[in-house]
mmCIF file with all atom_site columns, all heavy atoms in Angstrom:
data_model
loop_
_atom_site.group_PDB
_atom_site.id
_atom_site.type_symbol
_atom_site.label_atom_id
_atom_site.label_alt_id
_atom_site.label_comp_id
_atom_site.label_asym_id
_atom_site.label_entity_id
_atom_site.label_seq_id
_atom_site.pdbx_PDB_ins_code
_atom_site.Cartn_x
_atom_site.Cartn_y
_atom_site.Cartn_z
_atom_site.occupancy
_atom_site.B_iso_or_equiv
_atom_site.pdbx_formal_charge
_atom_site.auth_seq_id
_atom_site.auth_comp_id
_atom_site.auth_asym_id
_atom_site.auth_atom_id
_atom_site.pdbx_PDB_model_num
ATOM 1  N N   . PRO A 1 25  ? -47.486 12.158  -54.785 1.00 0.00 ? 132 PRO A N   1
ATOM 2  C CA  . PRO A 1 25  ? -46.541 12.915  -53.969 1.00 0.00 ? 132 PRO A CA  1
ATOM 3  C C   . PRO A 1 25  ? -45.115 12.384  -54.005 1.00 0.00 ? 132 PRO A C   1
ATOM 4  O O   . PRO A 1 25  ? -44.218 12.985  -53.421 1.00 0.00 ? 132 PRO A O   1
ATOM 5  C CB  . PRO A 1 25  ? -47.126 12.771  -52.550 1.00 0.00 ? 132 PRO A CB  1
ATOM 6  C CG  . PRO A 1 25  ? -47.771 11.422  -52.574 1.00 0.00 ? 132 PRO A CG  1
ATOM 7  C CD  . PRO A 1 25  ? -48.335 11.268  -53.966 1.00 0.00 ? 132 PRO A CD  1
ATOM 8  N N   . PRO A 1 40  ? -47.849 17.342  -62.326 1.00 0.00 ? 147 PRO A N   1
ATOM 9  C CA  . PRO A 1 40  ? -47.339 18.601  -62.892 1.00 0.00 ? 147 PRO A CA  1
ATOM 10 C C   . PRO A 1 40  ? -45.841 18.584  -63.174 1.00 0.00 ? 147 PRO A C   1
ATOM 11 O O   . PRO A 1 40  ? -45.359 19.388  -63.972 1.00 0.00 ? 147 PRO A O   1
ATOM 12 C CB  . PRO A 1 40  ? -47.703 19.646  -61.819 1.00 0.00 ? 147 PRO A CB  1
ATOM 13 C CG  . PRO A 1 40  ? -47.994 18.872  -60.575 1.00 0.00 ? 147 PRO A CG  1
ATOM 14 C CD  . PRO A 1 40  ? -48.519 17.542  -61.028 1.00 0.00 ? 147 PRO A CD  1
ATOM 15 N N   . PHE A 1 66  ? -51.025 1.946   -64.993 1.00 0.00 ? 173 PHE A N   1
ATOM 16 C CA  . PHE A 1 66  ? -52.306 2.120   -64.316 1.00 0.00 ? 173 PHE A CA  1
ATOM 17 C C   . PHE A 1 66  ? -52.221 1.295   -63.032 1.00 0.00 ? 173 PHE A C   1
ATOM 18 O O   . PHE A 1 66  ? -52.176 0.067   -63.077 1.00 0.00 ? 173 PHE A O   1
ATOM 19 C CB  . PHE A 1 66  ? -53.438 1.642   -65.214 1.00 0.00 ? 173 PHE A CB  1
ATOM 20 C CG  . PHE A 1 66  ? -54.822 2.011   -64.744 1.00 0.00 ? 173 PHE A CG  1
ATOM 21 C CD1 . PHE A 1 66  ? -55.043 2.926   -63.722 1.00 0.00 ? 173 PHE A CD1 1
ATOM 22 C CD2 . PHE A 1 66  ? -55.935 1.437   -65.346 1.00 0.00 ? 173 PHE A CD2 1
ATOM 23 C CE1 . PHE A 1 66  ? -56.317 3.263   -63.309 1.00 0.00 ? 173 PHE A CE1 1
ATOM 24 C CE2 . PHE A 1 66  ? -57.225 1.770   -64.943 1.00 0.00 ? 173 PHE A CE2 1
ATOM 25 C CZ  . PHE A 1 66  ? -57.412 2.682   -63.920 1.00 0.00 ? 173 PHE A CZ  1
ATOM 26 N N   . HIS A 1 70  ? -53.671 -0.291  -55.589 1.00 0.00 ? 177 HIS A N   1
ATOM 27 C CA  . HIS A 1 70  ? -53.607 0.573   -54.411 1.00 0.00 ? 177 HIS A CA  1
ATOM 28 C C   . HIS A 1 70  ? -53.558 2.029   -54.846 1.00 0.00 ? 177 HIS A C   1
ATOM 29 O O   . HIS A 1 70  ? -53.236 2.344   -55.991 1.00 0.00 ? 177 HIS A O   1
ATOM 30 C CB  . HIS A 1 70  ? -52.372 0.242   -53.563 1.00 0.00 ? 177 HIS A CB  1
ATOM 31 C CG  . HIS A 1 70  ? -51.104 0.225   -54.369 1.00 0.00 ? 177 HIS A CG  1
ATOM 32 N ND1 . HIS A 1 70  ? -50.581 -0.933  -54.904 1.00 0.00 ? 177 HIS A ND1 1
ATOM 33 C CD2 . HIS A 1 70  ? -50.269 1.220   -54.753 1.00 0.00 ? 177 HIS A CD2 1
ATOM 34 C CE1 . HIS A 1 70  ? -49.486 -0.653  -55.578 1.00 0.00 ? 177 HIS A CE1 1
ATOM 35 N NE2 . HIS A 1 70  ? -49.265 0.662   -55.513 1.00 0.00 ? 177 HIS A NE2 1
ATOM 36 N N   . TRP A 1 77  ? -59.909 9.722   -51.501 1.00 0.00 ? 184 TRP A N   1
ATOM 37 C CA  . TRP A 1 77  ? -60.723 8.545   -51.200 1.00 0.00 ? 184 TRP A CA  1
ATOM 38 C C   . TRP A 1 77  ? -60.317 7.940   -49.866 1.00 0.00 ? 184 TRP A C   1
ATOM 39 O O   . TRP A 1 77  ? -61.164 7.591   -49.046 1.00 0.00 ? 184 TRP A O   1
ATOM 40 C CB  . TRP A 1 77  ? -60.573 7.472   -52.280 1.00 0.00 ? 184 TRP A CB  1
ATOM 41 C CG  . TRP A 1 77  ? -61.024 7.858   -53.641 1.00 0.00 ? 184 TRP A CG  1
ATOM 42 C CD1 . TRP A 1 77  ? -61.836 8.905   -53.993 1.00 0.00 ? 184 TRP A CD1 1
ATOM 43 C CD2 . TRP A 1 77  ? -60.694 7.182   -54.862 1.00 0.00 ? 184 TRP A CD2 1
ATOM 44 N NE1 . TRP A 1 77  ? -62.025 8.929   -55.345 1.00 0.00 ? 184 TRP A NE1 1
ATOM 45 C CE2 . TRP A 1 77  ? -61.341 7.883   -55.905 1.00 0.00 ? 184 TRP A CE2 1
ATOM 46 C CE3 . TRP A 1 77  ? -59.919 6.075   -55.158 1.00 0.00 ? 184 TRP A CE3 1
ATOM 47 C CZ2 . TRP A 1 77  ? -61.222 7.490   -57.237 1.00 0.00 ? 184 TRP A CZ2 1
ATOM 48 C CZ3 . TRP A 1 77  ? -59.798 5.672   -56.480 1.00 0.00 ? 184 TRP A CZ3 1
ATOM 49 C CH2 . TRP A 1 77  ? -60.455 6.378   -57.512 1.00 0.00 ? 184 TRP A CH2 1
ATOM 50 N N   . LEU A 1 116 ? -54.431 2.369   -37.777 1.00 0.00 ? 223 LEU A N   1
ATOM 51 C CA  . LEU A 1 116 ? -54.811 3.772   -37.888 1.00 0.00 ? 223 LEU A CA  1
ATOM 52 C C   . LEU A 1 116 ? -56.034 3.966   -37.007 1.00 0.00 ? 223 LEU A C   1
ATOM 53 O O   . LEU A 1 116 ? -57.089 3.384   -37.275 1.00 0.00 ? 223 LEU A O   1
ATOM 54 C CB  . LEU A 1 116 ? -55.126 4.149   -39.339 1.00 0.00 ? 223 LEU A CB  1
ATOM 55 C CG  . LEU A 1 116 ? -55.426 5.627   -39.592 1.00 0.00 ? 223 LEU A CG  1
ATOM 56 C CD1 . LEU A 1 116 ? -54.232 6.500   -39.223 1.00 0.00 ? 223 LEU A CD1 1
ATOM 57 C CD2 . LEU A 1 116 ? -55.807 5.863   -41.053 1.00 0.00 ? 223 LEU A CD2 1
ATOM 58 N N   . TYR A 1 214 ? -52.385 -15.944 -66.551 1.00 0.00 ? 321 TYR A N   1
ATOM 59 C CA  . TYR A 1 214 ? -53.056 -14.649 -66.669 1.00 0.00 ? 321 TYR A CA  1
ATOM 60 C C   . TYR A 1 214 ? -53.508 -14.339 -68.094 1.00 0.00 ? 321 TYR A C   1
ATOM 61 O O   . TYR A 1 214 ? -54.192 -13.337 -68.308 1.00 0.00 ? 321 TYR A O   1
ATOM 62 C CB  . TYR A 1 214 ? -52.157 -13.532 -66.121 1.00 0.00 ? 321 TYR A CB  1
ATOM 63 C CG  . TYR A 1 214 ? -52.202 -13.488 -64.605 1.00 0.00 ? 321 TYR A CG  1
ATOM 64 C CD1 . TYR A 1 214 ? -51.307 -14.228 -63.841 1.00 0.00 ? 321 TYR A CD1 1
ATOM 65 C CD2 . TYR A 1 214 ? -53.178 -12.756 -63.944 1.00 0.00 ? 321 TYR A CD2 1
ATOM 66 C CE1 . TYR A 1 214 ? -51.364 -14.226 -62.457 1.00 0.00 ? 321 TYR A CE1 1
ATOM 67 C CE2 . TYR A 1 214 ? -53.243 -12.745 -62.558 1.00 0.00 ? 321 TYR A CE2 1
ATOM 68 C CZ  . TYR A 1 214 ? -52.341 -13.476 -61.818 1.00 0.00 ? 321 TYR A CZ  1
ATOM 69 O OH  . TYR A 1 214 ? -52.418 -13.476 -60.451 1.00 0.00 ? 321 TYR A OH  1
ATOM 70 N N   . PHE A 1 233 ? -40.652 -12.239 -66.166 1.00 0.00 ? 340 PHE A N   1
ATOM 71 C CA  . PHE A 1 233 ? -39.424 -11.951 -65.439 1.00 0.00 ? 340 PHE A CA  1
ATOM 72 C C   . PHE A 1 233 ? -38.487 -13.164 -65.355 1.00 0.00 ? 340 PHE A C   1
ATOM 73 O O   . PHE A 1 233 ? -37.259 -12.989 -65.452 1.00 0.00 ? 340 PHE A O   1
ATOM 74 C CB  . PHE A 1 233 ? -39.762 -11.419 -64.044 1.00 0.00 ? 340 PHE A CB  1
ATOM 75 C CG  . PHE A 1 233 ? -40.454 -10.085 -64.075 1.00 0.00 ? 340 PHE A CG  1
ATOM 76 C CD1 . PHE A 1 233 ? -41.812 -9.975  -63.832 1.00 0.00 ? 340 PHE A CD1 1
ATOM 77 C CD2 . PHE A 1 233 ? -39.743 -8.931  -64.369 1.00 0.00 ? 340 PHE A CD2 1
ATOM 78 C CE1 . PHE A 1 233 ? -42.453 -8.739  -63.864 1.00 0.00 ? 340 PHE A CE1 1
ATOM 79 C CE2 . PHE A 1 233 ? -40.368 -7.705  -64.419 1.00 0.00 ? 340 PHE A CE2 1
ATOM 80 C CZ  . PHE A 1 233 ? -41.728 -7.594  -64.160 1.00 0.00 ? 340 PHE A CZ  1
#
Side-chain angles (χ1 to χ4, degrees):
F173 191 12
H177 51 265
W184 297 343
L223 185 61
Y321 281 90
F340 294 105

